Amino acid sequence: MRAWTAPDVPTPLVTAPPVRLHDTATGGPVELVPQADAARLYVCGITPYDATHMGHAATYVAFDLLNRAWRSAGHAVRFVQNVTDVDDPLLERATKVGIDWVALAERETELFRTDMEALRVLPPDAYVGAVESIPLVIALIERLQEAGAVYRVDDDLYFSVAADADFGSESGYSRELMLEIFPERGGDPERPGKKDPLDALLWRAERPGEPSWDSPFGPGRPGWHVECAAIALEHLGTTFDVQGGGSDLVFPHHEMCAGHVQVAEGAPFARAYAHAGMVAYDGEKMSKSKGNLVFVSALRASEVDPMAIRATLLSHHYRSDWEWTDADLFANVDRIALWRRALALGAGAPAAPVVDGVLAALAADLDAPRALALVDQWAHATVGGPAIADTSDPDAAVTIHRVLDSALGLAL
Ligand code: 5CA
Ligand code: ZN
């Protein structure tokens, strides 16, 4: 499907250091120098049944920093994202509000595109829906059948986790923890007839009132994990650089994606698995199912500068869990105003060390808070305050403007 319009990204004036990122599977940093002609990134997309909230936005801005950090280090990037445009929560919401599920998915996907554009998130090179990928899903399930990893329960097909010798290596979770989390994140451990409670649904046979597609296994629709596995495999190949998403996808989603591809291809799914922390609101994880939401589109409609929203998201390290507050947003509105005042002066405090510091911070596991702190110091030094303003660098504004735009996605 169509992605969204790319913002202009100025070419960086200096080359950034190689990117290091925390890998969930190994629990430590990995240096991500791409081994193919481009760095290859897959980021799990939305299930489009409601508007983009700050949790989604934080996750997509985090991986946008990775995309930009690779580009700053001189690499081309191939970026792929899915849209889960058929799944239980989408169908349930469409039924509840009495609208066609296709129309609901299209409407919310379109709103997401406009939110991503406003936040200056670089669009994926391939933006791929689950529905349009059903032939890929069927082909992958057939490969898994050939590998002896598939069995039937009634007319549904399941992936046998026992077929994957490395099962558990992505999350590192104990079986006890997996069993606890699985039912909370779409799994069905109690279903009679399963060989292992953790086995994952690959193909859900047609149910009355639900959409379905023909397949060699009978009419039905794809399971969730096989959707991302098939899309990533087709559009990036095996062992691409980074599989990304929020930390609620560590298990079972990314574990199962990795397992499906590992069994079908005999090669690792991704080189690294990166996860963004959860954004909370009113004391709980912001989630469509709980309804404790702050929408990007609602703030935009009330004239909040999208760059202040983006700065608020960047002011928290992507791996930490944090809570959205209005006070935080207003502090970042003030921060952006200060930076604009400093940039308007033209000359300012020396910019080169700021550029180096910002690029180094982002290359070191996407440390945006450290990058913002460096720009804060520069802005304070430039506008003066009680001290005398430092305007020793005649080109400071142009240089800082450029690095803010290219590396942090803040176009001021
Ligand atoms: N369609 C699937 C992925 S294939 C899905 O999880 N969709 S979603 O709409 O529920 O979430 C989209 C992305 O936002 C996922 O990467 C998810 O991990 C992330 N996300 C959801 N809630 C939060 C939150 N409160 N904080 C941070 N990230 C979140
Ligand atoms: Zn996914």
Side-chain angles (χ1 to χ4, degrees):
M1 56 173 68
R2 186 175 58 80
W4 54 92
T5 308
D8 287 332
V9 183
T11 358
L13 292 169
V14 289
T15 305
V19 182
R20 273 186 302 112
L21 197 69
H22 181 89
D23 172 30
T24 302
T26 54
V30 280
E31 192 167 289
L32 289 168
V33 177
Q35 289 170 352
D37 53 348
R40 291 172 295 160
L41 170 66
Y42 186 92
V43 178
C44 280
I46 53 164
T47 304
Y49 67 90
D50 208 341
T52 321
H53 62 61
M54 289 308 160
H56 303 136
T59 290
Y60 296 116
V61 165
F63 289 99
D64 188 53
L65 289 180
L66 174 59
N67 192 341
R68 288 167 183 272
W70 265 325
R71 288 160 188 258
S72 302
H75 304 296
V77 180
R78 175 153 177 83
F79 171 31
V80 177
Q81 185 167 125
N82 70 307
V83 183
T84 308
D85 58 0
V86 61
D87 202 6
D88 300 346
L90 171 70
L91 299 175
E92 282 160 20
R93 175 66 65 92
T95 307
K96 197 183 247 171
V97 298
I99 104 165
D100 174 49
W101 64 275
V102 176
L104 176 62
E106 279 175 0
R107 186 182 79 195
E108 298 306 336
T109 304
E110 184 52 25
L111 185 60
F112 177 71
R113 291 187 184 102
T114 61
D115 288 336
M116 292 298 103
E117 274 174 21
L119 295 174
R120 299 184 78 79
V121 172
L122 301 177
D125 302 290
Y127 193 44
V128 193
V131 171
E132 65 185 336
S133 305
I134 287 173
L136 303 177
V137 168
I138 292 172
L140 180 56
I141 296 175
E142 288 179 322
R143 304 279 310 273
L144 290 169
Q145 283 181 319
E146 286 161 24
V150 182
Y151 64 93
R152 216 168 247 278
V153 177
D154 305 324
D155 287 330
D156 300 333
L157 297 185
Y158 279 85
F159 171 72
S160 181
V161 295
D164 175 17
D166 286 334
F167 182 68
S169 61
E170 181 269 336
S171 63
Y173 289 178
S174 66
R175 188 172 165 86
E176 197 182 14
L177 184 58
M178 290 179 183
L179 284 166
E180 185 188 318
I181 293 178
F182 194 55
E184 294 162 11
R185 299 192 185 150
D188 54 357
E190 309 279 346
R191 180 157 183 193
K194 286 178 70 172
K195 291 184 183 165
D196 184 317
L198 294 174
D199 289 344
L201 183 71
L202 287 169
W203 187 257
R204 178 175 157 92
E206 181 174 31
R207 305 287 200 276
E210 287 186 5
S212 69
W213 289 265
D214 282 335
S215 82
F217 341 110
R221 59 180 165 97
W224 172 32
H225 316 305
V226 71
E227 166 198 339
C228 283
I231 293 173
L233 193 58
E234 171 74 11
H235 295 274
L236 292 173
T238 52
T239 326
F240 58 88
D241 292 280
V242 172
Q243 159 74 319
S247 61
D248 56 344
L249 301 186
V250 171
F251 186 86
H253 187 50
H254 290 172
E255 189 75 66
M256 297 296 178
C257 293
H260 294 351
V261 169
Q262 172 73 38
V263 170
E265 297 287 321
F269 183 50
R271 289 171 66 199
Y273 299 85
H275 294 100
M278 287 293 113
V279 180
Y281 188 58
D282 279 346
E284 276 195 280
K285 173 193 159 186
M286 201 178 279
S287 76
K288 289 181 267 206
S289 51
K290 289 200 200 91
N292 55 336
L293 303 169
V294 178
F295 293 124
V296 176
S297 46
L299 290 186
R300 286 168 54 214
S302 54
E303 308 301 329
V304 176
D305 179 349
M307 292 298 96
I309 302 175
R310 183 160 173 129
T312 309
L313 303 174
L314 294 176
S315 69
H316 299 270
H317 191 272
Y318 83 97
R319 281 205 284 133
S320 59
D321 296 331
W322 56 280
E323 177 141 3
W324 176 271
T325 64
D326 289 348
D328 201 5
L329 173 64
F330 295 137
N332 278 282
V333 169
D334 293 344
R335 164 184 260 158
I336 293 295
L338 169 73
W339 291 6
R340 285 203 166 106
R341 278 211 320 280
L343 289 167
L345 296 176
V354 183
V355 171
D356 290 346
V358 164
L359 296 178
L362 292 169
D365 201 22
L366 313 176
D367 193 345
R370 194 168 104 209
L372 298 196
L374 291 168
V375 181
D376 284 339
Q377 282 166 18
W378 173 84
H380 283 295
T382 297
V383 297
I388 296 185
D390 178 355
T391 52
S392 58
D393 179 349
D395 301 321
V398 172
T399 311
I400 297 290
H401 193 277
R402 201 176 176 106
V403 75
L404 285 177
D405 193 350
S406 65
L408 287 162
L410 292 169
L412 303 182

